[in-house]
Amino acid sequence: MDQDDVSQSTDEICISSIFPEVEDISVSILHAADSIGLKEIPRYEVKICEEDDWMKRSQESLHPVQVTEGLWVVPQWCTPPDVQATNIIVNPGLAFGTGEHATTKLCLLLLHGCIKGGEHILDYGTGTGILAIAALKFGASFAVGVDVDSEAIASASQNASLNNIRPDKMQLHLITSETSSSSKDDSTFGVMERENTYEIQTITTYCAKFDVVIANILLNPLMDLADQIISYAKPGAVVGLSGVLSEQVQYIIERYSPFLEDIKVSKMDDWACVSGRKRIYLNVR
């Protein structure tokens, strides 16, 4: 998304997207416009690009990231800069969570500071599984990752294996969503589902069972799903909420104040992470 090339006197934003040659671009743009309520199809132009190995180019753009001293996130195809450090190995695939984004770093720092050993962790919106894997490497004894995207579940399962995380230490759940594009027909996910994931109904058994609940998603789902996210945390548990801009923090604090005490805010590059402890007695009406 490029806002710099557009006059500041307008509200226009330019978006560049890549499509396969067989894609009906006009239909895709029509669906996109309908999804956000636009009455007219936006202006667009189509350019034919030369063939390229996009996966290879994407891999070349990712490098080891030092989150803090002794903690690195390392792409699978790179050599860890410090073999003595805690190295989280990731192959992001099509999922979110490479360690480069500020919200991922903020969540990793929160986990690094709050995990003392033996905790049960819920990673709500697990993506690549990076936060659940990190929590286990920091000393947590059990982690659960949930996501609406089967690609994320497959990626998280692969990354768990890359980090030698056993299935009994980390479970993955696909949450069905009306807006999700996930498909259980995906052959890779079919294998993952049998080996390392469970029907979503079993998630209900985790009510108030986690010592740490972390959700690095976006403002709207954090607001809409607040009751559900909080329900998984034990009284006194640490709850971390990220994926929000600094200017959106006020909405998160207002929404979660009835559930959390000792609320703290950490910021990085205009992004924020809000954390607190679940109240023993909730102030809800």
Side-chain angles (χ1 to χ4, degrees), residues 50-178:
E50 294 182 7
E51 284 288 332
D52 202 346
D53 188 338
W54 295 106
M55 183 63 73
K56 181 179 179 182
R57 178 178 290 191
S58 175
Q59 289 183 354
E60 290 175 348
S61 70
L62 296 176
H63 305 281
V65 175
Q66 185 177 29
V67 180
T68 188
E69 184 176 355
L71 174 59
W72 289 80
V73 179
V74 184
Q76 179 187 4
W77 49 89
C78 295
T79 301
D82 180 1
V83 294
Q84 301 300 321
T86 299
N87 291 299
I88 304 164
I89 311 302
V90 295
N91 185 336
L94 299 178
F96 176 79
T98 63
E100 294 190 327
H101 198 273
T103 58
T104 306
K105 291 179 182 177
L106 289 168
C107 290
L108 287 170
L109 290 171
L110 175 64
L111 291 171
H112 190 257
C114 74
I115 293 178
K116 307 305 178 184
E119 292 89 348
H120 286 205
I121 311 295
L122 174 65
D123 181 8
Y124 196 97
T126 193
T128 60
I130 185 172
L131 299 181
I133 292 167
L136 291 168
K137 290 203 169 190
F138 296 157
S141 62
F142 180 67
V144 172
V146 301
D147 208 291
V148 297
D149 185 2
S150 63
E151 292 281 3
I153 296 296
S155 176
S157 183
Q158 179 188 21
N159 288 323
S161 297
L162 288 175
N163 288 273
N164 299 313
I165 304 295
R166 303 195 312 268
D168 63 313
K169 289 286 188 178
M170 180 173 167
Q171 295 180 359
L172 297 168
H173 300 255
L174 180 69
I175 300 178
T176 55
S177 168
E178 292 181 1

Side-chain angles (χ1 to χ4, degrees), residues 5 10 26 30 32 38 46 51 55 57 60 65 75 108 117 120 123 129 135 146 179 202 204 208 212 217 237 285:
D5 291 343
T10 73
S26 61
L30 176 61
L38 291 182
V46 178
E51 284 288 332
M55 183 63 73
R57 178 178 290 191
E60 290 175 348
V65 175
L108 287 170
H120 286 205
D123 181 8
V146 301
T179 59
T202 63
T204 58
V212 179
I217 41 181
R285 296 177 180 177

